[in-house]
Amino acid sequence: TDIGEMTSIEILNLGSNNLGTDENLVPVAGAIPDSLANLVNLRSIDLSLNFFGGALPFGLFVQMPRLSFINFLFNEFTGSIPASIGQLTALAYLDLSQ
């Protein structure tokens, strides 16, 4: 099952899993799947300490009006922060630091 098919999920905590690394824990800068944008009921997302890389998907936050917590600490993102973050009126916590 693709994670984007779990549309009723409200809290996604995949922090500290090294998902962007190979079997030797060497960062390979895996990208966040675009399908996360389908999690329209999400209130909290923690993908910290995973070494994801590349740009954040452009439409990642467009349909997540209830999202109040984003923790992407210690990843390897490049590019701009999606403008859709500015539309998250419920957002109370945002950590994009490295």
Side-chain angles (χ1 to χ4, degrees):
T1 300
D2 182 75
I3 196 162
E5 295 177 14
M6 301 184 328
T7 56
S8 61
I9 195 167
E10 295 183 6
I11 298 171
L12 179 63
N13 185 349
L14 295 174
S16 300
N17 281 294
N18 295 312
L19 296 173
T21 63
D22 66 13
E23 63 277 357
N24 297 314
L25 300 179
V26 174
V28 293
I32 289 180
D34 292 337
S35 62
L36 281 183
N38 297 335
L39 305 181
V40 297
N41 290 307
L42 210 58
R43 292 183 295 118
S44 173
I45 184 168
D46 184 346
L47 299 178
S48 62
L49 297 159
N50 277 300
F51 303 99
F52 284 119
L56 290 170
F58 175 74
L60 181 59
F61 305 110
V62 171
Q63 295 184 17
M64 298 179 176
R66 299 174 59 204
L67 194 59
S68 64
F69 181 94
I70 301 172
N71 186 0
F72 288 176
L73 170 76
F74 282 110
N75 284 287
E76 303 289 331
F77 298 120
T78 59
S80 301
I81 297 170
S84 55
I85 283 183
Q87 298 171 1
L88 299 175
T89 57
L91 190 63
Y93 181 90
L94 172 64
D95 192 341
L96 300 174
S97 64
Q98 190 160 336

